[in-house]
PDB file of all heavy atoms in Angstrom:
ATOM      1  N   LYS D 152     101.461  79.576 136.133  1.00 91.00           N
ATOM      2  CA  LYS D 152     102.537  78.973 135.318  1.00 91.00           C
ATOM      3  C   LYS D 152     101.873  78.095 134.261  1.00 91.00           C
ATOM      4  O   LYS D 152     101.246  77.086 134.581  1.00 91.00           O
ATOM      5  CB  LYS D 152     103.457  78.148 136.227  1.00 91.00           C
ATOM      6  CG  LYS D 152     104.482  77.324 135.482  1.00 91.00           C
ATOM      7  CD  LYS D 152     105.617  78.190 135.001  1.00 91.00           C
ATOM      8  CE  LYS D 152     106.568  77.393 134.129  1.00 91.00           C
ATOM      9  NZ  LYS D 152     106.165  77.303 132.728  1.00 91.00           N
ATOM     10  N   GLY D 153     102.029  78.533 133.026  1.00 88.00           N
ATOM     11  CA  GLY D 153     101.512  77.737 131.909  1.00 88.00           C
ATOM     12  C   GLY D 153     102.629  76.966 131.239  1.00 88.00           C
ATOM     13  O   GLY D 153     103.647  76.663 131.871  1.00 88.00           O
ATOM     14  N   ASN D 154     102.426  76.696 129.955  1.00 85.00           N
ATOM     15  CA  ASN D 154     103.443  75.923 129.228  1.00 85.00           C
ATOM     16  C   ASN D 154     104.651  76.761 128.822  1.00 85.00           C
ATOM     17  O   ASN D 154     105.688  76.220 128.473  1.00 85.00           O
ATOM     18  CB  ASN D 154     102.832  75.288 127.984  1.00 85.00           C
ATOM     19  CG  ASN D 154     102.065  74.037 128.369  1.00 85.00           C
ATOM     20  OD1 ASN D 154     102.480  73.297 129.253  1.00 85.00           O
ATOM     21  ND2 ASN D 154     100.919  73.841 127.746  1.00 85.00           N
ATOM     22  N   GLU D 155     104.455  78.093 128.864  1.00 88.00           N
ATOM     23  CA  GLU D 155     105.575  78.974 128.518  1.00 88.00           C
ATOM     24  C   GLU D 155     106.406  79.275 129.760  1.00 88.00           C
ATOM     25  O   GLU D 155     105.902  79.156 130.877  1.00 88.00           O
ATOM     26  CB  GLU D 155     105.030  80.289 127.935  1.00 88.00           C
ATOM     27  CG  GLU D 155     104.320  80.141 126.613  1.00 88.00           C
ATOM     28  CD  GLU D 155     105.219  79.611 125.526  1.00 88.00           C
ATOM     29  OE1 GLU D 155     106.318  80.165 125.357  1.00 88.00           O
ATOM     30  OE2 GLU D 155     104.842  78.619 124.860  1.00 88.00           O
ATOM     31  N   ALA D 156     107.644  79.704 129.540  1.00 91.00           N
ATOM     32  CA  ALA D 156     108.497  80.069 130.677  1.00 91.00           C
ATOM     33  C   ALA D 156     107.876  81.247 131.417  1.00 91.00           C
ATOM     34  O   ALA D 156     107.356  82.168 130.790  1.00 91.00           O
ATOM     35  CB  ALA D 156     109.883  80.451 130.179  1.00 91.00           C
ATOM     36  N   LEU D 157     107.917  81.174 132.747  1.00 93.00           N
ATOM     37  CA  LEU D 157     107.364  82.267 133.549  1.00 93.00           C
ATOM     38  C   LEU D 157     108.530  83.154 133.995  1.00 93.00           C
ATOM     39  O   LEU D 157     109.395  82.724 134.760  1.00 93.00           O
ATOM     40  CB  LEU D 157     106.623  81.696 134.761  1.00 93.00           C
ATOM     41  CG  LEU D 157     105.987  82.705 135.713  1.00 93.00           C
ATOM     42  CD1 LEU D 157     104.979  83.582 135.002  1.00 93.00           C
ATOM     43  CD2 LEU D 157     105.320  81.995 136.881  1.00 93.00           C
ATOM     44  N   ILE D 158     108.545  84.388 133.475  1.00 94.00           N
ATOM     45  CA  ILE D 158     109.640  85.315 133.801  1.00 94.00           C
ATOM     46  C   ILE D 158     109.070  86.494 134.574  1.00 94.00           C
ATOM     47  O   ILE D 158     108.158  87.177 134.103  1.00 94.00           O
ATOM     48  CB  ILE D 158     110.358  85.785 132.519  1.00 94.00           C
ATOM     49  CG1 ILE D 158     110.950  84.560 131.817  1.00 94.00           C
ATOM     50  CG2 ILE D 158     111.451  86.790 132.841  1.00 94.00           C
ATOM     51  CD1 ILE D 158     111.478  84.822 130.450  1.00 94.00           C
ATOM     52  N   ILE D 159     109.599  86.687 135.771  1.00 94.00           N
ATOM     53  CA  ILE D 159     109.067  87.725 136.661  1.00 94.00           C
ATOM     54  C   ILE D 159     110.138  88.795 136.870  1.00 94.00           C
ATOM     55  O   ILE D 159     111.293  88.479 137.128  1.00 94.00           O
ATOM     56  CB  ILE D 159     108.702  87.129 138.041  1.00 94.00           C
ATOM     57  CG1 ILE D 159     107.823  85.891 137.893  1.00 94.00           C
ATOM     58  CG2 ILE D 159     108.070  88.162 138.943  1.00 94.00           C
ATOM     59  CD1 ILE D 159     106.450  86.137 137.389  1.00 94.00           C
ATOM     60  N   ASP D 160     109.715  90.038 136.775  1.00 94.00           N
ATOM     61  CA  ASP D 160     110.621  91.152 137.064  1.00 94.00           C
ATOM     62  C   ASP D 160     110.258  91.744 138.413  1.00 94.00           C
ATOM     63  O   ASP D 160     109.086  92.091 138.647  1.00 94.00           O
ATOM     64  CB  ASP D 160     110.483  92.234 135.983  1.00 94.00           C
ATOM     65  CG  ASP D 160     111.275  91.873 134.748  1.00 94.00           C
ATOM     66  OD1 ASP D 160     112.358  91.297 134.904  1.00 94.00           O
ATOM     67  OD2 ASP D 160     110.780  92.134 133.637  1.00 94.00           O
ATOM     68  N   PHE D 161     111.242  91.837 139.280  1.00 93.00           N
ATOM     69  CA  PHE D 161     111.031  92.490 140.570  1.00 93.00           C
ATOM     70  C   PHE D 161     111.733  93.847 140.484  1.00 93.00           C
ATOM     71  O   PHE D 161     112.960  93.912 140.383  1.00 93.00           O
ATOM     72  CB  PHE D 161     111.625  91.628 141.689  1.00 93.00           C
ATOM     73  CG  PHE D 161     111.518  92.271 143.038  1.00 93.00           C
ATOM     74  CD1 PHE D 161     110.294  92.639 143.558  1.00 93.00           C
ATOM     75  CD2 PHE D 161     112.648  92.512 143.799  1.00 93.00           C
ATOM     76  CE1 PHE D 161     110.191  93.232 144.795  1.00 93.00           C
ATOM     77  CE2 PHE D 161     112.561  93.111 145.046  1.00 93.00           C
ATOM     78  CZ  PHE D 161     111.325  93.465 145.540  1.00 93.00           C
ATOM     79  N   VAL D 162     110.937  94.900 140.469  1.00 92.00           N
ATOM     80  CA  VAL D 162     111.500  96.237 140.246  1.00 92.00           C
ATOM     81  C   VAL D 162     111.388  97.069 141.520  1.00 92.00           C
ATOM     82  O   VAL D 162     110.328  97.122 142.141  1.00 92.00           O
ATOM     83  CB  VAL D 162     110.764  96.953 139.083  1.00 92.00           C
ATOM     84  CG1 VAL D 162     111.441  98.280 138.763  1.00 92.00           C
ATOM     85  CG2 VAL D 162     110.697  96.075 137.867  1.00 92.00           C
ATOM     86  N   ILE D 163     112.513  97.681 141.875  1.00 90.00           N
ATOM     87  CA  ILE D 163     112.533  98.554 143.053  1.00 90.00           C
ATOM     88  C   ILE D 163     112.601  99.996 142.557  1.00 90.00           C
ATOM     89  O   ILE D 163     113.447 100.330 141.738  1.00 90.00           O
ATOM     90  CB  ILE D 163     113.764  98.264 143.950  1.00 90.00           C
ATOM     91  CG1 ILE D 163     113.797  96.782 144.313  1.00 90.00           C
ATOM     92  CG2 ILE D 163     113.760  99.129 145.195  1.00 90.00           C
ATOM     93  CD1 ILE D 163     115.129  96.321 144.867  1.00 90.00           C
ATOM     94  N   ASP D 164     111.697 100.802 143.063  1.00 87.00           N
ATOM     95  CA  ASP D 164     111.660 102.201 142.618  1.00 87.00           C
ATOM     96  C   ASP D 164     111.354 103.072 143.833  1.00 87.00           C
ATOM     97  O   ASP D 164     110.878 102.585 144.857  1.00 87.00           O
ATOM     98  CB  ASP D 164     110.582 102.357 141.541  1.00 87.00           C
ATOM     99  CG  ASP D 164     110.796 103.618 140.720  1.00 87.00           C
ATOM    100  OD1 ASP D 164     111.713 104.397 141.071  1.00 87.00           O
ATOM    101  OD2 ASP D 164     110.059 103.826 139.749  1.00 87.00           O
ATOM    102  N   THR D 165     111.633 104.335 143.698  1.00 79.00           N
ATOM    103  CA  THR D 165     111.264 105.254 144.777  1.00 79.00           C
ATOM    104  C   THR D 165     110.334 106.301 144.203  1.00 79.00           C
ATOM    105  O   THR D 165     110.608 106.868 143.141  1.00 79.00           O
ATOM    106  CB  THR D 165     112.500 105.958 145.374  1.00 79.00           C
ATOM    107  OG1 THR D 165     113.296 106.404 144.297  1.00 79.00           O
ATOM    108  CG2 THR D 165     113.293 105.047 146.259  1.00 79.00           C
ATOM    109  N   ALA D 166     109.240 106.521 144.921  1.00 68.00           N
ATOM    110  CA  ALA D 166     108.310 107.552 144.473  1.00 68.00           C
ATOM    111  C   ALA D 166     108.821 108.882 145.000  1.00 68.00           C
ATOM    112  O   ALA D 166     108.930 109.065 146.207  1.00 68.00           O
ATOM    113  CB  ALA D 166     106.921 107.249 145.009  1.00 68.00           C
ATOM    114  N   ALA D 167     109.137 109.764 144.102  1.00 60.00           N
ATOM    115  CA  ALA D 167     109.806 111.012 144.496  1.00 60.00           C
ATOM    116  C   ALA D 167     108.943 111.881 145.402  1.00 60.00           C
ATOM    117  O   ALA D 167     109.442 112.475 146.352  1.00 60.00           O
ATOM    118  CB  ALA D 167     110.195 111.787 143.251  1.00 60.00           C
ATOM    119  N   GLU D 168     107.639 111.876 145.117  1.00 55.00           N
ATOM    120  CA  GLU D 168     106.804 112.857 145.817  1.00 55.00           C
ATOM    121  C   GLU D 168     106.713 112.611 147.334  1.00 55.00           C
ATOM    122  O   GLU D 168     106.739 113.520 148.119  1.00 55.00           O
ATOM    123  CB  GLU D 168     105.407 112.951 145.177  1.00 55.00           C
ATOM    124  CG  GLU D 168     104.522 111.715 145.308  1.00 55.00           C
ATOM    125  CD  GLU D 168     104.830 110.670 144.245  1.00 55.00           C
ATOM    126  OE1 GLU D 168     105.820 110.815 143.520  1.00 55.00           O
ATOM    127  OE2 GLU D 168     104.082 109.711 144.160  1.00 55.00           O
ATOM    128  N   ASN D 169     106.663 111.314 147.731  1.00 59.00           N
ATOM    129  CA  ASN D 169     106.546 111.090 149.178  1.00 59.00           C
ATOM    130  C   ASN D 169     107.696 110.243 149.722  1.00 59.00           C
ATOM    131  O   ASN D 169     107.608 109.711 150.818  1.00 59.00           O
ATOM    132  CB  ASN D 169     105.200 110.469 149.527  1.00 59.00           C
ATOM    133  CG  ASN D 169     104.956 109.233 148.680  1.00 59.00           C
ATOM    134  OD1 ASN D 169     105.867 108.808 147.961  1.00 59.00           O
ATOM    135  ND2 ASN D 169     103.786 108.669 148.763  1.00 59.00           N
ATOM    136  N   ALA D 170     108.755 110.129 148.942  1.00 63.00           N
ATOM    137  CA  ALA D 170     109.983 109.444 149.368  1.00 63.00           C
ATOM    138  C   ALA D 170     109.740 108.005 149.828  1.00 63.00           C
ATOM    139  O   ALA D 170     110.378 107.510 150.728  1.00 63.00           O
ATOM    140  CB  ALA D 170     110.666 110.243 150.475  1.00 63.00           C
ATOM    141  N   ARG D 171     108.766 107.362 149.216  1.00 74.00           N
ATOM    142  CA  ARG D 171     108.499 105.964 149.564  1.00 74.00           C
ATOM    143  C   ARG D 171     109.257 105.057 148.606  1.00 74.00           C
ATOM    144  O   ARG D 171     109.595 105.451 147.503  1.00 74.00           O
ATOM    145  CB  ARG D 171     106.997 105.680 149.411  1.00 74.00           C
ATOM    146  CG  ARG D 171     106.205 106.012 150.652  1.00 74.00           C
ATOM    147  CD  ARG D 171     104.807 105.422 150.631  1.00 74.00           C
ATOM    148  NE  ARG D 171     104.151 105.553 149.335  1.00 74.00           N
ATOM    149  CZ  ARG D 171     103.823 104.514 148.564  1.00 74.00           C
ATOM    150  NH1 ARG D 171     104.125 103.286 148.925  1.00 74.00           N
ATOM    151  NH2 ARG D 171     103.209 104.694 147.413  1.00 74.00           N
ATOM    152  N   VAL D 172     109.449 103.822 149.071  1.00 77.00           N
ATOM    153  CA  VAL D 172     110.060 102.834 148.171  1.00 77.00           C
ATOM    154  C   VAL D 172     108.930 101.991 147.602  1.00 77.00           C
ATOM    155  O   VAL D 172     108.065 101.519 148.339  1.00 77.00           O
ATOM    156  CB  VAL D 172     111.070 101.960 148.932  1.00 77.00           C
ATOM    157  CG1 VAL D 172     111.619 100.882 148.024  1.00 77.00           C
ATOM    158  CG2 VAL D 172     112.189 102.810 149.467  1.00 77.00           C
ATOM    159  N   VAL D 173     108.911 101.878 146.286  1.00 82.00           N
ATOM    160  CA  VAL D 173     107.832 101.134 145.625  1.00 82.00           C
ATOM    161  C   VAL D 173     108.443  99.891 145.003  1.00 82.00           C
ATOM    162  O   VAL D 173     109.408  99.979 144.245  1.00 82.00           O
ATOM    163  CB  VAL D 173     107.176 101.999 144.521  1.00 82.00           C
ATOM    164  CG1 VAL D 173     106.039 101.244 143.880  1.00 82.00           C
ATOM    165  CG2 VAL D 173     106.720 103.312 145.098  1.00 82.00           C
ATOM    166  N   THR D 174     107.881  98.745 145.351  1.00 85.00           N
ATOM    167  CA  THR D 174     108.380  97.507 144.744  1.00 85.00           C
ATOM    168  C   THR D 174     107.260  96.868 143.931  1.00 85.00           C
ATOM    169  O   THR D 174     106.107  96.868 144.359  1.00 85.00           O
ATOM    170  CB  THR D 174     108.851  96.518 145.816  1.00 85.00           C
ATOM    171  OG1 THR D 174     107.820  96.369 146.765  1.00 85.00           O
ATOM    172  CG2 THR D 174     110.113  96.977 146.487  1.00 85.00           C
ATOM    173  N   THR D 175     107.595  96.345 142.783  1.00 87.00           N
ATOM    174  CA  THR D 175     106.573  95.704 141.950  1.00 87.00           C
ATOM    175  C   THR D 175     107.082  94.355 141.463  1.00 87.00           C
ATOM    176  O   THR D 175     108.261  94.193 141.162  1.00 87.00           O
ATOM    177  CB  THR D 175     106.217  96.564 140.724  1.00 87.00           C
ATOM    178  OG1 THR D 175     107.421  97.050 140.170  1.00 87.00           O
ATOM    179  CG2 THR D 175     105.317  97.704 141.057  1.00 87.00           C
TER     180      THR D 175
END
Side-chain angles (χ1 to χ4, degrees):
Chain D
K152 172 77 186 84
N154 280 323
E155 294 298 310
L157 180 59
I158 299 170
I159 309 291
D160 279 324
F161 177 58
V162 186
I163 305 165
D164 199 354
T165 46
E168 67 277 9
N169 52 8
R171 273 194 318 115
V172 176
V173 182
T174 51
T175 44

